[in-house]
Amino acid sequence: MRPLAILPALALLVAMTVAEAHAHLRSAVPADGSSVATPPSRVVLRFSEAARLTAAWIARNAAPREPLRPLPDRAARELALSLPTLAPGRYVVSWRALSADGHIMPGEVRFTVLARGMIGHAPEHATGDATGHAPGPSSP
Amino acid sequence: MLSVPDALSVLLRALSLVLVLQAAGAALCLALFGRELADSLATARRLGSIAAASGAVCVVAHLALQAGRMAGDLSGMLDGSLLRLALTSTAGSASALSVLGLALIACALTARRTGVAVIGTALVTASFTLTGHTSVSPHRWILCLLLPAHLLIVAFWFGALPVLYLASLKESPARAARIVDRFSSVATWLVPGILLAGLALAALLVANLGVLRQPYGELLLAKLGGFALLMGLASLNKWRLAPAMARADPGALIAFRRSVAAELALIVAVLAVTAVMTTLFSPD
């Protein structure tokens, strides 16, 4: 009986190890992976369907993430998050969003704010596609 | 990397699916074959009631965990606004209907009202249509027929297995063989419906064949593989072990119990894969 009892646990473990992100974010400003010369005052997220942000954070370089507030208080396809004043560095804005079908989607956008001396060495991408990492679940 | 609330949510979802479908299936199975059972009837009813009650607890805990997932950590489970958001979401409506159905099953099986328990089964399977892609799909009305049909047959099969196991333990060999034969004759017609309804659901939910190369599609194929193995075991039961039990061949009962235990473990594995698929991935 023991090998049989292990089977469901093994299936769960194997399935969870392939549980990587699924993109639900259509685009973002600043775009994922972009470098900007001017520190953005906000991040705009465009989703494939209406979503409501339930939590959002920003992290600079390897520092711990800080919560972003206030969050938009309604669901929409396009949502904007106000950012604090950003110093040059690499940033990750991450979030959790509730979609209309009741599922919760995590996601993130990475961008770099260039230091003055670096401007001209790297192109500025203020817009473009962003691939967030958002698993979007479904009915069985 | 999965967050703690996401990992816990998958585990609770898997446990919920197992208990909810066990309870729903026990009610169906007892309604169909309850009269055939003698010495195992009381235990089968009690198991169904326990599955329903513990399933309801898991469904409520899973809903509370949604608030934790919304916050990204377990502290969200103590956040009133996030809990309210979880309760008023489609997952909240589905959980409420599921808990109502499970309460009906638990009470009805305890009170020996199998007919009422079947109403609970109907509510539980209908609850799955209130949330997820089914609830927002343009093919909603077709999905609302296909998904409960798929789940009812899965529940019937899954819920019958402990009853058959108990019958092989507690009933006389002749009675046990008769019960297995009756189950097999019904299952032969119903079980292919799992595949047909499942394929129709996949055709309506999966946007294109490219999805089969993504995690959602890979998990869907894993479910199909599990189903193929289950069909192999079910065929072994019907064509080899059930006739051997009817002939009272030595060792037939033990072989049958092993085969039923293997079927149970495989269905639990398929439900675990379903929990990962429906919590973390999307068909689009």
Side-chain angles (χ1 to χ4, degrees), chain B residues 251-284:
Chain B
L253 269 177
I254 292 172
F256 175 76
R257 281 179 209 139
R258 281 190 186 145
S259 175
V260 167
E263 276 187 62
L264 271 170
L266 257 175
I267 295 181
V268 173
V270 169
L271 292 177
V273 170
T274 306
V276 176
M277 196 173 102
T278 57
T279 305
L280 303 175
F281 298 110
S282 165
D284 49 39

Side-chain angles (χ1 to χ4, degrees), chain B:
Chain B
M1 184 69 185
L2 277 182
S3 70
V4 173
D6 287 342
L8 282 177
S9 180
V10 170
L11 284 171
L12 258 181
R13 173 79 172 156
L15 193 58
S16 298
L17 283 173
V18 168
L19 292 168
V20 164
L21 292 176
Q22 261 303 314
L28 275 182
C29 186
L30 289 173
L32 286 170
F33 310 118
R35 284 181 196 155
E36 304 277 345
L37 304 176
D39 298 335
S40 57
L41 181 59
T43 313
R45 277 200 189 113
R46 198 161 50 246
L47 278 181
S49 286
I50 292 169
S54 38
V57 171
C58 280
V59 168
V60 171
H62 184 258
L63 184 65
L65 201 55
Q66 293 291 87
R69 290 189 69 210
M70 286 181 203
D73 62 63
L74 293 177
S75 67
M77 294 173 73
L78 303 173
D79 185 319
S81 61
L82 290 181
L83 282 169
R84 203 161 39 248
L85 205 54
L87 276 172
T88 53
S89 70
T90 56
S93 317
S95 300
L97 191 61
S98 182
V99 168
L100 179 67
L102 290 166
L104 213 54
I105 293 171
C107 296
L109 288 183
T110 306
R112 301 178 183 184
R113 302 284 300 273
T114 313
V116 179
V118 172
I119 298 173
T121 296
L123 295 180
V124 163
T125 47
S127 74
F128 285 84
T129 64
L130 297 183
T131 190
H133 276 64
T134 312
S135 64
V136 293
S137 167
H139 311 295
R140 176 164 168 68
W141 295 109
I142 306 171
L143 294 172
C144 281
L145 293 174
L146 286 173
L147 184 57
H150 179 73
L151 291 169
L152 275 172
I153 307 173
V154 171
F156 163 72
W157 187 1
F158 189 39
L161 292 175
V163 175
L164 296 178
Y165 194 93
L166 276 174
S168 74
L169 276 176
K170 294 195 163 199
E171 307 288 354
S172 66
R175 186 183 285 270
R178 201 163 56 242
I179 293 164
V180 171
D181 184 56
R182 278 212 58 196
F183 167 77
S184 292
S185 58
V186 177
T188 302
W189 290 101
L190 285 181
V191 167
I194 295 176
L195 184 65
L196 293 177
L199 288 177
L201 281 167
L204 291 170
L205 287 171
V206 171
N208 57 66
L209 289 178
V211 171
L212 296 178
R213 288 192 297 273
Q214 293 170 3
Y216 185 92
E218 288 165 359
L219 293 171
L220 193 63
L221 293 175
K223 281 182 73 173
L224 269 174
F227 182 78
L229 283 174
L230 277 164
M231 288 303 288
L233 278 173
S235 302
L236 178 76
N237 280 347
K238 180 170 172 58
W239 302 111
R240 298 283 294 272
L241 300 178
M245 279 171 73
R247 291 192 305 267
D249 285 0
L253 269 177
I254 292 172
F256 175 76
R257 281 179 209 139
R258 281 190 186 145
S259 175
V260 167
E263 276 187 62
L264 271 170
L266 257 175
I267 295 181
V268 173
V270 169
L271 292 177
V273 170
T274 306
V276 176
M277 196 173 102
T278 57
T279 305
L280 303 175
F281 298 110
S282 165
D284 49 39

